Amino acid sequence: VSTQSTGSSEHQTIKKVNISEEKMSEVAVEQKKRLEALKNSRTEWKIRASANSMRTTNPIRAIVDNLKIPPAPDKPLIPLSIGDPRVFGNLHEPEEMRAILKKNLDSRKFNGYPPSQGYLESRQAIASYFSKVHDQNIPYQDVFITSGCSHAIEMCIAVMANPGDTILVPRPGFPFYEVVCVNRGITVKYYNLKPDQNWEVDLEDVKQKIDQNTVAIVINNPSNPCGSSFSLQHIKDIIRLADQYKLPILSDEIYDGMVFEGQQCYSLARFRGDVPVLVVGGMAKRFLVPGWRIGWLIIHDHLGYLNQVREGMNKQSTVILGGNSLMQSLLPHILSDSFQPFFDSTMKQLEKQATLFMKGLEGVKGLRIIPPKGTMYLMVEILTNEFQDIEDDVSFTKKLIEEESVFVLPGQCFYLPKFFRIVFCAPEDKMIESAARIKRFCLKHIKPDNQSS
């Protein structure tokens, strides 16, 4: 009986193997047919860009690329359009920082991949420095080092918003916020700033823009492109509104501390109360090294409203593995009060350059300067009704390049027509010369009945 059972079992096993082989053969035949049909259907190259990439556009590039007209041949070009303090070679990073960088490079300790959130010592340095500045306790776990401040902004938006959500951004404002949002299918709504009130936020306009899909409000202080810095009372008013509507704030503070003598710079993080705030900043502007690409974001949230956002930040930080290893090795050595004399000297120089430019345009018909309180920018209103052939800010910019070789950015780059932005990082002589050229340009194009009025 045992032998018969064994024989029967072996027969069944052989039968199953044969059936299995037959099925595998059938699958192989079907797979071959499928691949052959697929090959026959793909006879031409058809490669598409993603929908995300195709809907992405930078307003500055869209406008500036259309301004490629030759400057006046008899005048060297003065570019007051680029927000890069290194363009003219008159502003330099601290020598002490260069020495530290050389030492760290020679040590060969910072050539590998850093942790995705940043080196522990660097995160601790940021947490310690801003804990002192903001008079609060910031755990290093709430600090993330990024590849420039733009990357920090991108991370915040990526973690806080889904396609179809809405984020409120300032007008005029840095166009990168829109670039990131549009790329990710996030809706942007613009709230107005008040030029006659130091570019303060129009809080009533903000209220009108909030809806059920609104997930955050972006505040940029000190401001690009306005050069403004909010008063403490206005900071508190913004915080109060955010608390009323339970809106977290993305506070872009890349120009933190960059204000003129006698002005104050207030961070939303210090006066936030119970409102959760994400602060982004970096080395680029204050240390005059935008190309070094080190930024950071700090989560301010003592009540735990952003706990899920914290988890999301840790995951999002793994996408590009954080900031440059060598550059972030500087942070434990440079985030201290010892560099304050350098900052003061830089701002004194920038303020002088801005003052010379504004003085050169005093009394010029057709223009109205909104005096800055800091950063490296100022906005000028174009009173188009006083000109005979200037329709808008783009027309003004084109003709100014063509006739006087001065390049400014039209306000449409920042969603504010009939203004233009000046970057006052150029040396004193070029600021004086550019103002003289703009004055001459305005005298040429102003309506005759306005020239003596």
Side-chain angles (χ1 to χ4, degrees), residues 174-207:
F174 183 42
F176 184 73
Y177 312 129
E178 181 192 354
V179 174
V180 175
C181 287
V182 170
N183 174 264
R184 295 179 175 274
I186 299 162
T187 301
V188 172
K189 286 188 178 181
Y190 305 97
Y191 63 84
N192 294 323
L193 304 182
K194 300 177 179 180
D196 294 325
Q197 297 181 34
N198 186 38
W199 298 107
E200 287 188 349
V201 174
D202 186 336
L203 299 176
E204 290 304 315
D205 189 47
V206 172
K207 293 177 184 178

Short mmCIF file of all heavy atoms in Angstrom, two decimals, residues 174-207:
data_model
loop_
_atom_site.label_atom_id
_atom_site.label_comp_id
_atom_site.label_asym_id
_atom_site.label_seq_id
_atom_site.Cartn_x
_atom_site.Cartn_y
_atom_site.Cartn_z
N PHE A 174 8.36 88.85 -3.98
CA PHE A 174 9.35 88.00 -4.61
C PHE A 174 8.63 86.94 -5.45
O PHE A 174 7.82 86.17 -4.92
CB PHE A 174 10.19 87.35 -3.51
CG PHE A 174 11.32 86.48 -3.98
CD1 PHE A 174 12.13 86.86 -5.04
CD2 PHE A 174 11.60 85.29 -3.33
CE1 PHE A 174 13.19 86.07 -5.46
CE2 PHE A 174 12.67 84.49 -3.74
CZ PHE A 174 13.45 84.88 -4.80
N PRO A 175 8.85 86.88 -6.76
CA PRO A 175 8.07 85.99 -7.62
C PRO A 175 8.32 84.51 -7.42
O PRO A 175 7.55 83.68 -7.91
CB PRO A 175 8.48 86.43 -9.03
CG PRO A 175 9.80 87.08 -8.88
CD PRO A 175 9.79 87.73 -7.52
N PHE A 176 9.37 84.15 -6.68
CA PHE A 176 9.69 82.74 -6.50
C PHE A 176 8.57 81.98 -5.79
O PHE A 176 8.37 80.79 -6.03
CB PHE A 176 11.00 82.58 -5.73
CG PHE A 176 11.46 81.16 -5.59
CD1 PHE A 176 11.98 80.48 -6.67
CD2 PHE A 176 11.37 80.49 -4.38
CE1 PHE A 176 12.41 79.16 -6.56
CE2 PHE A 176 11.80 79.18 -4.24
CZ PHE A 176 12.32 78.51 -5.33
N TYR A 177 7.83 82.68 -4.91
CA TYR A 177 6.71 82.00 -4.24
C TYR A 177 5.73 81.45 -5.27
O TYR A 177 5.27 80.30 -5.15
CB TYR A 177 5.97 82.96 -3.31
CG TYR A 177 6.83 83.78 -2.39
CD1 TYR A 177 6.68 85.17 -2.30
CD2 TYR A 177 7.80 83.19 -1.58
CE1 TYR A 177 7.46 85.94 -1.45
CE2 TYR A 177 8.59 83.95 -0.73
CZ TYR A 177 8.42 85.32 -0.68
OH TYR A 177 9.20 86.08 0.16
N GLU A 178 5.40 82.27 -6.25
CA GLU A 178 4.47 81.82 -7.29
C GLU A 178 5.07 80.70 -8.13
O GLU A 178 4.37 79.74 -8.48
CB GLU A 178 4.08 82.99 -8.21
CG GLU A 178 3.10 82.56 -9.29
CD GLU A 178 2.91 83.59 -10.39
OE1 GLU A 178 3.45 84.69 -10.27
OE2 GLU A 178 2.22 83.27 -11.37
N VAL A 179 6.35 80.81 -8.45
CA VAL A 179 7.00 79.78 -9.27
C VAL A 179 6.84 78.40 -8.63
O VAL A 179 6.46 77.43 -9.29
CB VAL A 179 8.50 80.11 -9.45
CG1 VAL A 179 9.21 78.97 -10.17
CG2 VAL A 179 8.68 81.41 -10.22
N VAL A 180 7.11 78.32 -7.32
CA VAL A 180 7.01 77.05 -6.61
C VAL A 180 5.57 76.56 -6.56
O VAL A 180 5.29 75.38 -6.81
CB VAL A 180 7.58 77.17 -5.18
CG1 VAL A 180 7.38 75.87 -4.41
CG2 VAL A 180 9.06 77.52 -5.22
N CYS A 181 4.66 77.46 -6.25
CA CYS A 181 3.25 77.07 -6.12
C CYS A 181 2.68 76.57 -7.44
O CYS A 181 2.04 75.51 -7.49
CB CYS A 181 2.44 78.25 -5.60
SG CYS A 181 2.72 78.64 -3.85
N VAL A 182 2.91 77.32 -8.51
CA VAL A 182 2.37 76.93 -9.81
C VAL A 182 2.95 75.58 -10.24
O VAL A 182 2.24 74.73 -10.78
CB VAL A 182 2.67 78.01 -10.87
CG1 VAL A 182 2.34 77.51 -12.26
CG2 VAL A 182 1.87 79.28 -10.56
N ASN A 183 4.22 75.38 -9.98
CA ASN A 183 4.86 74.11 -10.33
C ASN A 183 4.17 72.93 -9.66
O ASN A 183 4.08 71.83 -10.22
CB ASN A 183 6.34 74.15 -9.94
CG ASN A 183 7.03 72.82 -10.14
OD1 ASN A 183 7.17 72.03 -9.21
ND2 ASN A 183 7.49 72.57 -11.35
N ARG A 184 3.64 73.15 -8.46
CA ARG A 184 3.04 72.06 -7.68
C ARG A 184 1.51 72.06 -7.73
O ARG A 184 0.87 71.33 -6.98
CB ARG A 184 3.52 72.13 -6.23
CG ARG A 184 5.02 71.90 -6.11
CD ARG A 184 5.50 72.00 -4.67
NE ARG A 184 6.91 71.66 -4.58
CZ ARG A 184 7.39 70.43 -4.45
NH1 ARG A 184 6.53 69.42 -4.40
NH2 ARG A 184 8.68 70.19 -4.37
N GLY A 185 0.94 72.90 -8.57
CA GLY A 185 -0.51 72.91 -8.69
C GLY A 185 -1.21 73.58 -7.51
O GLY A 185 -2.39 73.29 -7.23
N ILE A 186 -0.50 74.48 -6.84
CA ILE A 186 -1.04 75.19 -5.68
C ILE A 186 -1.49 76.58 -6.13
O ILE A 186 -0.79 77.26 -6.89
CB ILE A 186 0.03 75.31 -4.57
CG1 ILE A 186 0.45 73.91 -4.11
CG2 ILE A 186 -0.47 76.15 -3.40
CD1 ILE A 186 1.76 73.88 -3.35
N THR A 187 -2.65 76.99 -5.69
CA THR A 187 -3.21 78.29 -6.08
C THR A 187 -2.55 79.41 -5.29
O THR A 187 -2.33 79.29 -4.09
CB THR A 187 -4.73 78.32 -5.84
OG1 THR A 187 -5.33 77.28 -6.61
CG2 THR A 187 -5.31 79.67 -6.25
N VAL A 188 -2.22 80.50 -5.97
CA VAL A 188 -1.65 81.69 -5.34
C VAL A 188 -2.69 82.81 -5.36
O VAL A 188 -3.30 83.08 -6.39
CB VAL A 188 -0.37 82.15 -6.07
CG1 VAL A 188 0.10 83.49 -5.53
CG2 VAL A 188 0.72 81.11 -5.92
N LYS A 189 -2.87 83.45 -4.20
CA LYS A 189 -3.67 84.67 -4.14
C LYS A 189 -2.78 85.78 -3.59
O LYS A 189 -2.03 85.56 -2.63
CB LYS A 189 -4.90 84.48 -3.24
CG LYS A 189 -6.00 83.63 -3.85
CD LYS A 189 -7.24 83.65 -2.97
CE LYS A 189 -8.37 82.85 -3.60
NZ LYS A 189 -9.61 82.88 -2.76
N TYR A 190 -2.88 86.95 -4.20
CA TYR A 190 -2.02 88.07 -3.83
C TYR A 190 -2.76 89.03 -2.91
O TYR A 190 -3.89 89.44 -3.20
CB TYR A 190 -1.55 88.81 -5.08
CG TYR A 190 -0.88 87.92 -6.08
CD1 TYR A 190 -1.58 87.40 -7.17
CD2 TYR A 190 0.46 87.57 -5.93
CE1 TYR A 190 -0.98 86.56 -8.08
CE2 TYR A 190 1.07 86.74 -6.84
CZ TYR A 190 0.36 86.23 -7.91
OH TYR A 190 0.96 85.39 -8.80
N TYR A 191 -2.13 89.38 -1.81
CA TYR A 191 -2.66 90.45 -0.98
C TYR A 191 -1.80 91.68 -1.18
O TYR A 191 -0.60 91.59 -1.45
CB TYR A 191 -2.71 90.04 0.50
CG TYR A 191 -1.36 89.75 1.13
CD1 TYR A 191 -0.57 90.77 1.64
CD2 TYR A 191 -0.90 88.44 1.25
CE1 TYR A 191 0.66 90.50 2.24
CE2 TYR A 191 0.33 88.16 1.83
CZ TYR A 191 1.09 89.20 2.33
OH TYR A 191 2.31 88.93 2.91
N ASN A 192 -2.39 92.85 -1.05
CA ASN A 192 -1.71 94.10 -1.38
C ASN A 192 -0.88 94.63 -0.22
O ASN A 192 -1.23 94.46 0.96
CB ASN A 192 -2.73 95.16 -1.79
CG ASN A 192 -3.42 94.82 -3.09
OD1 ASN A 192 -2.80 94.26 -4.00
ND2 ASN A 192 -4.70 95.13 -3.19
N LEU A 193 0.21 95.30 -0.59
CA LEU A 193 0.99 96.10 0.34
C LEU A 193 0.68 97.57 0.05
O LEU A 193 0.35 97.94 -1.08
CB LEU A 193 2.48 95.83 0.18
CG LEU A 193 2.95 94.38 0.32
CD1 LEU A 193 4.46 94.29 0.18
CD2 LEU A 193 2.50 93.77 1.65
N LYS A 194 0.79 98.41 1.07
CA LYS A 194 0.43 99.83 0.94
C LYS A 194 1.67 100.70 0.77
O LYS A 194 2.42 100.92 1.73
CB LYS A 194 -0.34 100.27 2.18
CG LYS A 194 -1.63 99.50 2.43
CD LYS A 194 -2.28 99.99 3.72
CE LYS A 194 -3.58 99.28 4.01
NZ LYS A 194 -4.20 99.76 5.28
N PRO A 195 1.93 101.19 -0.44
CA PRO A 195 3.15 101.98 -0.67
C PRO A 195 3.20 103.27 0.14
O PRO A 195 4.29 103.73 0.51
CB PRO A 195 3.10 102.28 -2.18
CG PRO A 195 1.68 102.07 -2.57
CD PRO A 195 1.14 101.02 -1.67
N ASP A 196 2.05 103.85 0.45
CA ASP A 196 2.03 105.10 1.20
C ASP A 196 2.14 104.88 2.71
O ASP A 196 2.15 105.85 3.47
CB ASP A 196 0.75 105.88 0.89
CG ASP A 196 0.71 106.35 -0.56
OD1 ASP A 196 1.79 106.68 -1.09
OD2 ASP A 196 -0.37 106.37 -1.16
N GLN A 197 2.19 103.63 3.13
CA GLN A 197 2.33 103.31 4.55
C GLN A 197 3.50 102.35 4.75
O GLN A 197 3.38 101.32 5.41
CB GLN A 197 1.03 102.72 5.10
CG GLN A 197 -0.15 103.67 5.03
CD GLN A 197 -1.42 103.07 5.61
OE1 GLN A 197 -1.39 102.29 6.55
NE2 GLN A 197 -2.56 103.44 5.04
N ASN A 198 4.65 102.72 4.16
CA ASN A 198 5.86 101.91 4.29
C ASN A 198 5.64 100.47 3.84
O ASN A 198 6.19 99.54 4.41
CB ASN A 198 6.37 101.95 5.75
CG ASN A 198 7.71 101.23 5.90
OD1 ASN A 198 8.57 101.30 5.04
ND2 ASN A 198 7.87 100.50 7.01
N TRP A 199 4.80 100.31 2.83
CA TRP A 199 4.55 98.99 2.27
C TRP A 199 4.00 98.01 3.30
O TRP A 199 4.28 96.82 3.26
CB TRP A 199 5.80 98.40 1.62
CG TRP A 199 6.34 99.19 0.48
CD1 TRP A 199 7.47 99.95 0.48
CD2 TRP A 199 5.80 99.30 -0.85
NE1 TRP A 199 7.67 100.53 -0.74
CE2 TRP A 199 6.66 100.16 -1.59
CE3 TRP A 199 4.69 98.76 -1.49
CZ2 TRP A 199 6.42 100.46 -2.93
CZ3 TRP A 199 4.46 99.09 -2.82
CH2 TRP A 199 5.32 99.92 -3.52
N GLU A 200 3.22 98.52 4.24
CA GLU A 200 2.59 97.62 5.22
C GLU A 200 1.57 96.72 4.53
O GLU A 200 1.03 97.04 3.47
CB GLU A 200 1.91 98.42 6.32
CG GLU A 200 2.89 99.07 7.30
CD GLU A 200 2.17 99.70 8.48
OE1 GLU A 200 0.92 99.81 8.45
OE2 GLU A 200 2.86 100.07 9.46
N VAL A 201 1.29 95.59 5.17
CA VAL A 201 0.30 94.65 4.65
C VAL A 201 -1.09 95.26 4.77
O VAL A 201 -1.45 95.81 5.82
CB VAL A 201 0.36 93.32 5.44
CG1 VAL A 201 -0.77 92.38 4.99
CG2 VAL A 201 1.72 92.66 5.26
N ASP A 202 -1.87 95.19 3.69
CA ASP A 202 -3.27 95.60 3.74
C ASP A 202 -4.05 94.45 4.39
O ASP A 202 -4.46 93.49 3.72
CB ASP A 202 -3.77 95.88 2.32
CG ASP A 202 -5.17 96.45 2.31
OD1 ASP A 202 -5.92 96.23 3.27
OD2 ASP A 202 -5.53 97.12 1.32
N LEU A 203 -4.23 94.53 5.69
CA LEU A 203 -4.83 93.43 6.44
C LEU A 203 -6.27 93.15 6.03
O LEU A 203 -6.71 92.00 6.03
CB LEU A 203 -4.75 93.72 7.94
CG LEU A 203 -3.32 93.87 8.49
CD1 LEU A 203 -3.35 94.25 9.96
CD2 LEU A 203 -2.52 92.59 8.29
N GLU A 204 -7.00 94.20 5.64
CA GLU A 204 -8.37 93.98 5.18
C GLU A 204 -8.37 93.22 3.86
O GLU A 204 -9.25 92.38 3.62
CB GLU A 204 -9.08 95.33 5.03
CG GLU A 204 -9.39 96.01 6.34
CD GLU A 204 -10.21 95.13 7.29
OE1 GLU A 204 -11.19 94.51 6.81
OE2 GLU A 204 -9.86 95.05 8.48
N ASP A 205 -7.41 93.50 3.02
CA ASP A 205 -7.30 92.76 1.75
C ASP A 205 -6.96 91.30 2.02
O ASP A 205 -7.48 90.40 1.33
CB ASP A 205 -6.24 93.41 0.86
CG ASP A 205 -6.22 92.82 -0.54
OD1 ASP A 205 -7.30 92.69 -1.13
OD2 ASP A 205 -5.13 92.49 -1.04
N VAL A 206 -6.10 91.05 3.00
CA VAL A 206 -5.78 89.66 3.36
C VAL A 206 -7.05 88.91 3.75
O VAL A 206 -7.30 87.78 3.30
CB VAL A 206 -4.75 89.62 4.51
CG1 VAL A 206 -4.58 88.18 5.01
CG2 VAL A 206 -3.41 90.17 4.06
N LYS A 207 -7.87 89.54 4.59
CA LYS A 207 -9.11 88.88 5.04
C LYS A 207 -10.00 88.51 3.86
O LYS A 207 -10.63 87.45 3.86
CB LYS A 207 -9.86 89.80 5.99
CG LYS A 207 -9.15 90.04 7.32
CD LYS A 207 -9.93 91.03 8.18
CE LYS A 207 -9.19 91.36 9.47
NZ LYS A 207 -9.93 92.35 10.29
#
